[in-house]
Amino acid sequence: MTLEGKSVAILIAPRGTEEPEFSKPKQAIEEAGGKVTVVSFEAGVARTVNSDLDEGGSYPIDKTFSEVKADDFDGLVVPGGTVGADKLRGSAEAIGFIRAFFDQKKPVAAICHAPWTLIEAGVVEGRNLTSYPTLKVDIENAGGTWTNEEVVVDNGLVTSRDPDDLPAFCAKLVEEIAARD
């Protein structure tokens, strides 16, 4: 499966985004031939975390939310991390950017706590998805159907529960982005 000619945005919240949930999808997209743009709140370098508490790697930020629009991309990846997802859902710019992908019916992949951002964006109602188990009631209260599966795909939305699901998550997000014209 190739992503040649495809451009994908991946979000990062400094000192909050979970390392493997950021680095593994980024690597999968690049290995499939896609171009990745790292998007965050401000320019510079962002550090990820491991298990929400330990320092992860450092990654250059390519663009800020004010410099991008969904029109520029073929898909979006929203990594988890409890703190990272909370920072993203608290940003009107981030939520507007995420919502625009749904408005344009473009693929979106969200793992672990990242579905919090989808709830905030108002795009969960009527959808099937999964997440870290503690988000189950949040998703159901937002009108979504939660299932305990390693990966759930619903009309271009790819969701997974946690880092253990990354192989299936990465394969499905590449497949969904590749399938879109």
Side-chain angles (χ1 to χ4, degrees):
M1 188 121 338
T2 181
L3 293 179
E4 283 300 324
K6 302 277 187 179
S7 181
V8 181
I10 186 167
L11 306 187
I12 191 167
R15 298 193 187 280
T17 295
E18 193 68 23
E19 168 72 27
E21 295 172 11
F22 174 84
S23 63
K24 296 295 184 187
K26 181 178 185 296
Q27 178 184 357
I29 294 161
E30 291 169 343
E31 287 177 356
K35 179 186 182 299
V36 174
T37 300
V38 179
V39 181
S40 192
F41 305 108
E42 54 191 45
V45 174
R47 182 171 284 286
T48 59
V49 296
N50 285 297
S51 302
D52 284 326
L53 301 172
D54 301 322
E55 285 199 3
S58 293
Y59 297 91
I61 295 165
D62 299 315
K63 300 276 185 178
T64 63
F65 288 111
S66 63
E67 298 173 313
V68 293
K69 54 189 183 301
D71 298 350
D72 301 333
F73 302 99
D74 299 295
L76 172 66
V77 177
V78 187
T82 311
V83 174
D86 195 55
K87 286 180 179 181
L88 289 169
R89 74 177 174 162
S91 164
E93 277 186 317
I95 295 306
F97 185 62
I98 292 166
R99 187 180 303 113
F101 280 84
F102 286 89
D103 292 345
Q104 296 177 23
K105 298 182 179 14
K106 292 184 176 180
V108 174
I111 187 168
C112 200
H113 284 79
W116 267 343
T117 66
L118 308 181
I119 293 167
E120 194 69 31
V123 297
V124 169
E125 188 171 356
R127 288 190 174 270
N128 296 307
L129 59 159
T130 194
S131 66
Y132 195 74
T134 58
L135 276 65
K136 178 182 188 270
V137 171
D138 296 339
I139 288 167
E140 291 172 346
N141 286 341
T145 301
W146 187 88
T147 55
N148 187 19
E149 296 177 27
E150 71 176 354
V151 66
V152 175
V153 180
D154 182 329
N155 196 25
L157 173 61
V158 178
T159 53
S160 284
R161 301 170 298 194
D162 57 46
D164 292 340
D165 298 336
L166 279 164
F169 179 73
C170 291
K172 279 295 183 186
L173 75 87
V174 167
E175 183 180 314
E176 285 296 308
I177 295 167
R180 302 297 165 140
D181 290 333

